[in-house]
């Protein structure tokens, strides 16, 4: 009998840990019914009931998986849901495009500045070559 109680206690502890990890790793806008803080307290103070309640009523709804035909089970492309935003900025094509536009603009400005500087230096060299040599510039013989 003691072994059965120990086994049930270990099972309850494992269930509570899994529920707590699931609760803490869920996105804020996906948690249902109560705020995250309340779910954590319920799971900690009532491990068995709180863990079961989390899995039944609190955790994010399971996303639909595509059926064999490549469409979600709902039948419509996208499963009738809006497209989720990218999780990171480097997954967002619009953000990457804006970075590329910024980089192109900055490169163009650098190139234009370099070109202006090069023209200015060439102009200085032409003026210097067209001027007669000064006394101090003549070599000593």
């Amino acid at each position: 009998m003691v072994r059965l109680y120990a086994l049930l206690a270990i099972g309850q502890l494992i269930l509570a840990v899994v529920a707590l990890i699931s609760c803490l790793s869920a996105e804020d806008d996906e948690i249902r019914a109560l705020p995250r803080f309340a779910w954590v307290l319920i799971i900690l103070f009532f491990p068995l009931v709180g863990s079961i309640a989390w899995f039944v009523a609190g955790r994010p709804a399971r996303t639909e998986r595509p059926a064999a035909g490549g469409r979600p089970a709902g039948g419509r492309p996208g499963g009738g849901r809006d497209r989720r935003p990218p999780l990171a900025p480097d997954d967002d094509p619009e953000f990457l495009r804006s970075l590329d536009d910024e980089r192109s603009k900055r490169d163009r400005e650098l190139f234009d500045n370099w070109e202006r500087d090069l023209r200015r230096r060439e102009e200085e060299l032409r003026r210097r070559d067209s001027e007669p040599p000064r006394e101090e510039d003549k070599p000593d013989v």
Side-chain angles (χ1 to χ4, degrees):
M1 198 65 166
V2 173
R3 289 183 185 175
L4 180 63
Y5 287 136
L7 188 62
L8 288 176
I10 291 172
Q12 178 181 345
L13 181 65
I14 291 172
L15 182 66
V17 168
V18 169
L20 196 58
I21 290 171
S22 174
C23 179
L24 293 174
S25 65
E27 295 290 329
D28 283 335
D29 58 340
E30 294 177 340
I31 297 176
R32 297 182 290 163
L34 297 171
R36 181 190 318 264
F37 182 72
W39 279 115
V40 169
L41 290 178
I42 290 170
I43 293 169
L44 289 175
F45 290 130
F46 310 103
L48 182 63
V49 176
S51 300
I52 292 171
W54 164 253
F55 286 117
V56 171
R59 85 171 168 182
R62 183 173 272 200
T63 58
E64 295 178 2
R65 293 186 179 169
R71 290 187 172 202
R76 293 190 322 233
R81 295 180 181 206
D82 294 335
R83 181 172 105 44
R84 290 182 62 187
L87 297 177
D90 58 346
D91 292 339
D92 186 5
E94 188 174 320
F95 175 74
L96 294 173
R97 195 175 309 111
S98 72
L99 286 179
D100 193 36
D101 292 344
E102 255 180 57
R103 189 181 316 119
S104 296
K105 182 180 175 185
R106 190 177 60 237
D107 289 347
R108 189 73 194 145
E109 288 174 359
L110 285 172
F111 180 74
D112 289 343
N113 288 339
W114 179 76
E115 232 177 13
R116 263 187 258 122
D117 186 49
L118 185 62
R119 285 188 186 126
R120 181 185 56 79
R121 289 178 182 200
E122 286 176 346
E123 199 58 41
E124 285 177 5
L125 285 173
R126 284 188 190 125
R127 271 187 275 153
R128 194 181 314 152
D129 288 342
S130 66
E131 291 177 0
R134 296 181 297 197
E135 286 296 320
E136 57 220 26
D137 291 338
K138 291 183 183 178
D140 292 334
V141 186

